[in-house]
Amino acid sequence: MTEAILLVGGKGTRLRPLTVNTPKPMVPAAGVPFLAHQLARARAAGVDHVVMATSYLAEVFEPYFGDGSELGLHLEYVTEREPLGTGGAIRNAATRLRSAPDEPVLVFNGDILTGLDIRGLVTAHSTAGADVSLHLTRVTDPRAFGLVPTDESGRVTAFLEKPQTPEEIVTDQINAGCYVFNRSVIDAIPQGRPVSVERETFPGLLESGAHLHGVVDSTYWLDLGTPEAFVRGSADLVLGRAPSPAVPGRCGERLVLETAEVAGDAKLTGGSVVGARSAIGDGVRIEGSALLDGAVIAPGARIRDSLIGAGARIGAGTVLDGAVVGDNAVVGEGNELRGGIRVWCDARIPPGSVRFSSDQ
């Protein structure tokens, strides 16, 4: 297998207000755009040709990644004129593939951070003689997901909607967003209209007697669809819990990019990232958080499990816990922002305006 399709989803409204103009897949995770981690992992697994299937803003990705040569890849870009769904996007991207009908093609979702053994998935696909193989992961609470039960040999037996009752939870296995398709299966997907692989392609293949193989891999897996998950994923990349060849530095408690300035007595832990040209003041404590380029943190601030946008400024003594602060926002000194609060881009919060604890 040497080819792959990377599905770059919609506008990522669940991640607003992270940035003003940068689409979600280009927001830095552990110092580089998240897609760089996806592409680097694909290259490490032997892929050399990737078709990036985008539904919007393709002009943002191509200037950054170019032809992919710096990553050791040949990158091409395909943009949908109208939303086509997952299956339609895969079929739309197939016009740029070079594989023969019986050759495997890796298809993976740009919103997922995973430690999956990609080579192992491809090997299992070949060994099983499958038409499509799916990476499946186990979750503690599967109620928010569609279920994918398999038999003893790993063959997929059904695709079930989100369970509504305990009796409907027949497995804890869910679709983890990475597949190996035989090229002929991709070519059979209807062209030019919306198609869902989860609701149409996969159930239709099962009904026709095709062999869909499930590979359960319970290594690291995280859907980055929310700001909280994005911050956690960035920290896990820095800590080395989520493996990626694209992390620009050694794994550890912190990642400080070049040109950032960190005061000598500031303490950064939990996989925190400090973006380029950022400034961290005296006595600052940052745990498990991501600061984008140009952020300024005044002395004495406390930041935990939060994301601070590019150019944002956090005042002295301010406490952030589970917060998202958009680009160029200003949070004045002495504020306390907790519990998933969002501060929109360019917003201004005066000193001492928001508190959660008592005044004592």
Side-chain angles (χ1 to χ4, degrees), residues 140-197:
T140 303
D141 184 358
R143 289 176 297 176
F145 304 92
L147 309 183
V148 187
T150 54
D151 65 16
E152 292 181 356
S153 70
R155 190 160 185 153
V156 175
T157 59
F159 290 89
L160 307 175
E161 294 295 327
K162 296 177 182 178
Q164 302 300 310
T165 65
E167 293 74 22
E168 292 177 328
I169 303 176
V170 298
T171 181
D172 58 358
Q173 297 173 180
I174 67 167
N175 180 353
C178 184
Y179 322 102
V180 177
F181 280 78
N182 286 346
R183 169 66 190 273
S184 58
V185 176
I186 293 177
D187 290 340
I189 297 174
Q191 194 169 15
R193 69 169 177 84
V195 180
S196 166
V197 290

Side-chain angles (χ1 to χ4, degrees), residues 106 116-126 133-136 178-180 213-215:
L106 177 70
L116 171 69
D117 177 2
I118 297 174
R119 289 183 186 271
L121 178 66
V122 177
T123 298
H125 175 81
S126 175
S133 293
L134 299 84
H135 171 209
L136 306 179
C178 184
Y179 322 102
V180 177
H213 189 68
V215 177

Side-chain angles (χ1 to χ4, degrees), residues 43-306:
R43 181 68 190 96
V47 171
D48 60 20
H49 178 216
V50 176
V51 182
M52 190 179 294
T54 70
S55 58
Y56 78 114
L57 291 180
E59 67 276 9
V60 173
F61 307 118
E62 190 165 2
Y64 185 90
F65 294 110
D67 63 3
S69 57
E70 291 189 5
L71 296 171
L73 293 167
H74 174 212
L75 270 180
E76 296 190 64
Y77 305 84
V78 175
T79 304
E80 303 165 16
R81 294 181 182 274
E82 299 292 338
L84 295 173
T86 47
I90 293 169
R91 181 65 183 88
N92 191 48
T95 58
R96 303 293 182 89
L97 294 176
R98 304 171 299 200
S99 305
D102 61 344
E103 290 184 318
V105 177
L106 177 70
V107 178
F108 57 111
N109 191 320
D111 285 344
I112 301 297
L113 181 60
T114 175
L116 171 69
D117 177 2
I118 297 174
R119 289 183 186 271
L121 178 66
V122 177
T123 298
H125 175 81
S126 175
T127 301
D131 298 295
V132 180
S133 293
L134 299 84
H135 171 209
L136 306 179
T137 192
R138 292 189 170 99
V139 294
T140 303
D141 184 358
R143 289 176 297 176
F145 304 92
L147 309 183
V148 187
T150 54
D151 65 16
E152 292 181 356
S153 70
R155 190 160 185 153
V156 175
T157 59
F159 290 89
L160 307 175
E161 294 295 327
K162 296 177 182 178
Q164 302 300 310
T165 65
E167 293 74 22
E168 292 177 328
I169 303 176
V170 298
T171 181
D172 58 358
Q173 297 173 180
I174 67 167
N175 180 353
C178 184
Y179 322 102
V180 177
F181 280 78
N182 286 346
R183 169 66 190 273
S184 58
V185 176
I186 293 177
D187 290 340
I189 297 174
Q191 194 169 15
R193 69 169 177 84
V195 180
S196 166
V197 290
E198 299 86 357
R199 296 182 178 85
E200 181 176 346
T201 303
F202 292 156
L205 286 168
L206 274 187
E207 188 175 350
S208 70
H211 183 178
L212 276 68
H213 189 68
V215 177
V216 180
D217 183 307
S218 297
T219 56
Y220 186 95
W221 183 86
L222 185 66
D223 181 341
L224 298 183
T226 65
E228 292 81 5
F230 193 91
V231 171
R232 176 182 162 193
S234 178
D236 286 345
L237 284 161
V238 174
L239 290 167
R241 295 171 180 166
S244 169
V247 175
R250 298 179 61 181
C251 293
E253 289 291 320
R254 69 183 203 172
L255 173 64
V256 179
L257 300 188
E258 292 185 7
T259 71
E261 298 181 1
V262 178
D265 64 348
K267 186 174 182 180
L268 282 66
T269 60
S272 294
V273 181
V274 179
R277 302 180 305 282
S278 294
I280 311 300
D282 293 329
V284 169
R285 299 291 182 265
I286 301 176
E287 178 184 352
S289 299
L291 281 63
L292 303 190
D293 293 354
V296 177
I297 313 299
R302 301 288 187 270
I303 300 174
R304 179 176 179 271
D305 296 341
S306 298

